[in-house]
Amino acid sequence: DTAVSQTPKYLVTQMGNDKSIKCEQNLGHDTMYWYKQDSKKFLKIMFSYNNKELIINETVPNRFSPKSPDKAHLNLHINSLELGDSAVYFCASSQDNSGRIYTDTQYFGPGTRLTVL
Amino acid sequence: AQKVTQAQTEISVVEKEDVTLDCVYETRDTTYYLFWYKQPPSGELVFLIRRNSFDEQNEISGRYSWNFQKSTSSFNFTITASQVVDSAVYFCALSEAFNNNDMRFGAGTRLTVKP
C-alpha cells in the first residue's frame, strides 16, 4: 500500500486556470506538508498543516491554498495559474503530534509535475 | 536563518568506488534535526536517515554511512562500493523545530555512478 499518494501524477493546463492536487496519507500521521521543487531541483516548503493549524511560508502567493478535509488529506488548490507555477509539487507527512513540526521524519508522495502553458 | 550547503553540484564515479557527499549546515538553535533524502531518476524522494543534534554517533547502514560532526557543522554521507543504482540526486536537510518551525533543503548533489 502506498503510504503517501498524490493525484494526478502529471497535470498540464493553461495559464489562468484553477487546478487542484490531491494528497492522501495512510500512515496515521498528524502533520502534512506541501513542497515545491523547481526546475533546478530546489525544494522549498510551502505549507505545513498540523492539528488544524496551518503554517504558511511567507513567500507563497495567496493563489495557493491548502485544504484539509480530514487528518489524512491535504489538497493543494491553485488559482489563476501562472507560467512560473510550473514545477513538481510534493506532498509529505510526518508523525509530529507534539505540537511541534519538523522533528519527525517526513515521508514524501511521488510528486505531481505541473506544467502551465 | 538556517542554511544548508551542498557544495558539490555533481559527482561522477565509476562503479565500486567510494564517494562522499558533503553537507554543511548553519543554525543558531541547539536542538535541530538533520536528514538525507535520495531522489532517483524516477523522481520520488526516499528517506535515508534522520539525526538529532544531540546524537553525534556515526551511523552505518549497509554500504551507507554518515559522519556527523558538530564542531564543523557537517553531516557527510558516504557510499562505499558504489553501484549504478546509487545514481540519484541526494539532498541534505535541516529542521529547526523549536525556534523557526522550518525545514530547509540543500540544493542537492547529483551523483552519477558509471558501470
Side-chain angles (χ1 to χ4, degrees), chain A:
Chain A
D1 285 342
T2 304
V4 183
S5 60
Q6 294 178 228
T7 53
K9 189 168 175 61
Y10 300 96
L11 183 55
V12 181
T13 188
Q14 300 284 338
M15 274 178 58
N17 284 349
D18 302 339
K19 289 293 178 186
S20 292
I21 305 172
K22 294 185 177 180
C23 177
E24 177 181 0
Q25 54 97 2
N26 62 7
L27 297 167
H29 286 169
D30 286 311
T31 305
M32 296 184 73
Y33 311 82
W34 277 104
Y35 287 83
K36 179 180 180 180
Q37 186 175 42
D38 62 25
S39 58
K40 296 182 180 179
K41 292 284 192 180
F42 187 66
L43 269 162
K44 191 168 185 179
I45 183 75
M46 300 176 69
F47 304 101
S48 61
Y49 193 85
N50 170 268
N51 195 25
K52 299 185 180 180
E53 180 184 2
L54 177 66
I55 299 175
I56 303 171
N57 184 310
E58 61 188 13
T59 65
V60 175
N62 57 16
R63 299 180 294 103
F64 290 79
S65 56
K67 298 193 190 307
S68 180
D70 55 57
K71 199 172 79 166
H73 297 83
L74 185 66
N75 303 324
L76 182 65
H77 190 74
I78 315 169
N79 289 328
S80 303
L81 278 156
E82 300 178 358
L83 292 176
D85 297 333
S86 294
V88 179
Y89 292 84
F90 285 97
C91 176
S93 73
S94 68
Q95 184 60 57
D96 284 302
N97 57 7
S98 60
R100 300 189 187 279
I101 56 174
Y102 302 117
T103 58
D104 288 326
T105 299
Q106 295 182 29
Y107 294 92
F108 285 79
T112 296
R113 182 175 294 278
L114 171 65
T115 303
V116 182
L117 303 175

Side-chain angles (χ1 to χ4, degrees), chain B residues 86-115:
Chain B
D86 296 328
S87 297
V89 180
Y90 291 86
F91 292 96
C92 179
L94 166 71
S95 72
E96 240 180 4
F98 293 91
N99 282 341
N100 290 337
N101 266 350
D102 197 1
M103 177 87 159
R104 295 289 183 98
F105 280 77
T109 297
R110 182 180 297 279
L111 173 65
T112 301
V113 181
K114 298 178 181 177

Side-chain angles (χ1 to χ4, degrees), chain B residues 7-112:
Chain B
Q8 304 150 307
T9 305
E10 293 191 31
I11 300 176
S12 181
V13 298
V14 177
E15 212 170 14
K16 297 185 183 177
E17 284 185 17
D18 299 347
V19 58
T20 296
L21 283 60
D22 298 334
C23 174
V24 175
Y25 61 92
E26 185 182 320
T27 177
R28 296 178 184 176
D29 209 339
T30 56
T31 303
Y32 52 90
Y33 296 82
L34 295 162
F35 304 83
W36 276 95
Y37 284 87
K38 173 182 179 180
Q39 188 172 38
S42 50
E44 71 273 25
L45 281 159
V46 179
F47 165 74
L48 295 178
I49 190 171
R50 166 181 175 266
R51 176 56 52 85
N52 74 56
S53 53
F54 298 108
D55 181 4
E56 285 194 74
Q57 276 193 338
N58 291 330
E59 182 154 339
I60 299 175
S61 176
R63 296 184 297 107
Y64 294 172
S65 62
W66 290 268
N67 183 354
F68 178 25
Q69 293 201 346
K70 288 177 78 169
S71 60
T72 55
S73 296
S74 65
F75 187 43
N76 296 338
F77 172 33
T78 298
I79 302 175
T80 304
S82 59
Q83 299 176 2
V84 173
V85 293
D86 296 328
S87 297
V89 180
Y90 291 86
F91 292 96
C92 179
L94 166 71
S95 72
E96 240 180 4
F98 293 91
N99 282 341
N100 290 337
N101 266 350
D102 197 1
M103 177 87 159
R104 295 289 183 98
F105 280 77
T109 297
R110 182 180 297 279
L111 173 65
T112 301

